[in-house]
Amino acid sequence: MTLAVLLVVISWQVAVDGPLLGIDPAVRDAVRQVRRSLHSTLLNHLGVALSDLGGGVPAVPVLLGCAGLAAWLARRDGRPRWWTPVPVAVAASVLIPLLVVPAKAWFARPGPFDVPLAADQWGWYPSGHTATSAIAYGTAALLLSRVLEPARARQVGWAAAALCLGVGFGLVWSDFHWLLDVVASWCLSGLLLLGLRRLLPRLLPDRADT
């Protein structure tokens, strides 16, 4: 419920150019000031590298690879419907642009440099890299959690969460996105992942469940 309310509120504020958007330039200016004071080439390169982890490559190949691994482990363990992780991963990969691209075109929000959108640009809201990383790595972690030991599954989950936070940090640090673009995509992705978490025990049951 919290994720849904936050997503609706942010989207509403973006649509009407509301006062909540004042957070974004304040954060942008503060980050720029810190970046100038540190003047760290290494940190700036790290920000770009983390941002790139939210691209379709490598996020989607990682998702498909983890789905293949989860299917292989499920088959080895004699699970019913062991093949389920593969179509789930494919569906998640297709769902990302279907959700993000129309929203970008609809809101048509300019980026952190406040330059008007060109005719061939979709807009910055919500963040596609954030959604891609959260949905892809989050789905991969959920699929693996069904076939790994609980301790190992928790490690994979924490690793995916850290990776997604890193992508969000890189996008804001590098001036690629407003903070609220990133937060809204986290909310959207979180809702989808919560739904998938509820469905997975039915889609890929344990042997004891059959």
Side-chain angles (χ1 to χ4, degrees), residues 27-161:
V27 171
R28 177 199 60 190
D29 295 343
V31 169
R32 287 177 177 177
Q33 183 175 356
V34 172
R35 199 168 61 226
R36 283 194 298 266
S37 63
L38 292 177
H39 196 61
S40 171
T41 302
L42 178 61
L43 192 54
N44 292 338
H45 283 314
L46 176 61
V48 173
L50 288 171
S51 302
D52 289 342
L53 292 176
V57 178
V60 172
V62 168
L63 169 58
L64 296 177
C66 290
L69 176 59
W72 179 78
L73 292 173
R75 184 180 183 184
R76 185 197 63 180
D77 293 343
R79 301 282 190 94
R81 298 196 294 276
W82 56 267
W83 42 266
T84 297
V86 174
V88 168
V90 172
S93 302
V94 172
L95 191 60
I96 294 169
L98 291 180
L99 289 173
V100 173
V101 172
K104 283 178 172 289
W106 173 265
F107 288 101
R109 188 187 190 194
F113 287 97
D114 292 329
V115 177
L117 292 178
D120 59 343
Q121 287 181 310
W122 290 329
W124 267 252
Y125 181 87
S127 167
H129 276 61
T130 303
T132 299
S133 63
I135 294 174
Y137 300 135
T139 300
L142 288 175
L143 292 173
L144 289 174
S145 72
R146 293 295 301 164
V147 294
L148 295 175
E149 295 295 328
R152 186 61 58 85
R154 284 192 294 271
Q155 292 173 352
V156 171
W158 282 113

Side-chain angles (χ1 to χ4, degrees), residues 1 8 92 96 101 115 120 185-186 205-206:
M1 181 63 71
V8 169
I96 294 169
V101 172
V115 177
D120 59 343
S185 284
W186 277 337
D206 295 328

